[in-house]
Amino acid sequence: MTPLKLVGGFGSPYSRKMRAVLRFRRIPFTWIMRGSPDDVGIPEVPVALIPVLVFPGEAGRADEAMIDSTFQIKRLEKMFPARSIIPSDPALAFLDALLEDYADEWLTKPMFHYRWKYAADIHKASHVLALDRNPLMSRETLAKMSSYIADRQIERLRVVGSNDVTTPGIEASYRRILGLLDLHLVAGHRFLMGKRPGASDFGFFGQLSQLAHFDPTPAAIAAAETPRVVSWVSHLDDLSSLEVDDAGWLSREDAVAAPRPFLIEVGRVYARFLIANAHALASRASEVRCEIDGLPWVQQPFPYQGKCLKWLREGRRALSAGDRKFVDSALESTGAESIFRELN
Ligand SMILES: N[C@@H](CCC(=O)N[C@@H](CS)C(=O)NCC(=O)O)C(=O)O
């Protein structure tokens, strides 16, 4: 079969997420660095985001390119049944999707925040991300490109909601998630979804591939406080040799207990944000203002995360009555159930 193409960046959490997914799933693909000399002939995508996944057009048809890692994962599931990363139990698959969404949409706040707030982090990212396109770049080009990248990204801190008001909450949430993952591993759970990884594991991996491995400030925190997580991230990057079977997913019993600390974290931070964001979008407010984990939060509304809330609610509604009952019992008193409250 003609290999797929994954066009992305080493410094892009969602690109790293999708590369790890393709490796684990043993789906043949070539990796193309966006903006590098190899980045040619890739079909246009509706929004200029990475990663771009290109499916070869069979029988003379044109290649097809798509964005958005969550939907890329879903499309891959339809095309390649083996080594699935979506749990076979629909209730567990729902919890997996919720944790994936938290990783993609909340953990990206600490990721972007640390990278573009502190001088050492800005220096590393702006230079290395420029060089990733071409390590042979001249010094003059590097100087221009690194300051272009830094200016552009620092300006975008407001998009994820990193500012002086939110800094303490963002940084505390990063430290907590490291601690929770550490405890999860110490308790003998190799992945969030059991003995085999789910989409949520790859979502966590994507953000942590940067936080715990690349950006100096958060990587130093991870190394000092939770070295086990640093190693877990290395493993996730390439799970091609991991053998899995159907019994590897969390049992229903474990699905209530093991993810619970993570669901409480979702309730503590992400659920609060999703709801406040939805209210701001609905009332066309210029700012989301709320309290998250007892701390003030202020940022501009985030339309994409308004869609995330809608998709999560649709996912719960699509469950059978029995599966929904199970999911609701797993979410009970975590705080995350507030995401779905308006449906009851
Ligand atoms: N929800 C998307 C997000 C992708 C995304 O935000 N990608 C960022 C980089 S990590 C991007 O391409 N930003 C635009 C740019 O860097 O030009 C996904 O899951 O793939």
Side-chain angles (χ1 to χ4, degrees), residues 228-297:
R228 196 183 298 273
V229 173
V230 179
S231 178
W232 183 79
V233 171
S234 302
H235 279 276
L236 261 284
D237 198 18
D238 192 336
L239 291 171
S240 54
S241 67
L242 180 76
E243 295 301 341
V244 294
D245 61 42
D246 289 343
W249 300 114
L250 289 177
S251 65
R252 282 239 165 158
E253 203 183 344
D254 286 341
V256 173
R260 191 165 176 86
F262 297 98
L263 296 173
I264 291 171
E265 181 63 20
V266 170
R268 192 167 177 169
V269 292
Y270 187 45
R272 305 291 296 240
F273 174 74
L274 276 180
I275 292 161
N277 185 54
H279 284 304
L281 289 168
S283 63
R284 298 174 188 272
S286 59
E287 278 182 337
V288 181
R289 272 185 187 275
C290 60
E291 227 179 59
I292 292 183
D293 192 27
L295 298 165
W297 190 275

Side-chain angles (χ1 to χ4, degrees), residues 11-15 17-18 48-51 67-70 72 104-105 108 111 152-153 156 304:
S12 148
Y14 306 97
S15 300
K17 173 188 179 189
M18 288 312 301
L49 291 178
I50 50 174
I67 50 163
D68 201 320
S69 60
T70 301
Q72 291 170 347
D104 286 352
E105 306 300 332
T108 202
M111 189 263 130
R152 194 179 80 144
Q153 300 297 76
R156 289 168 58 86
Y304 183 84

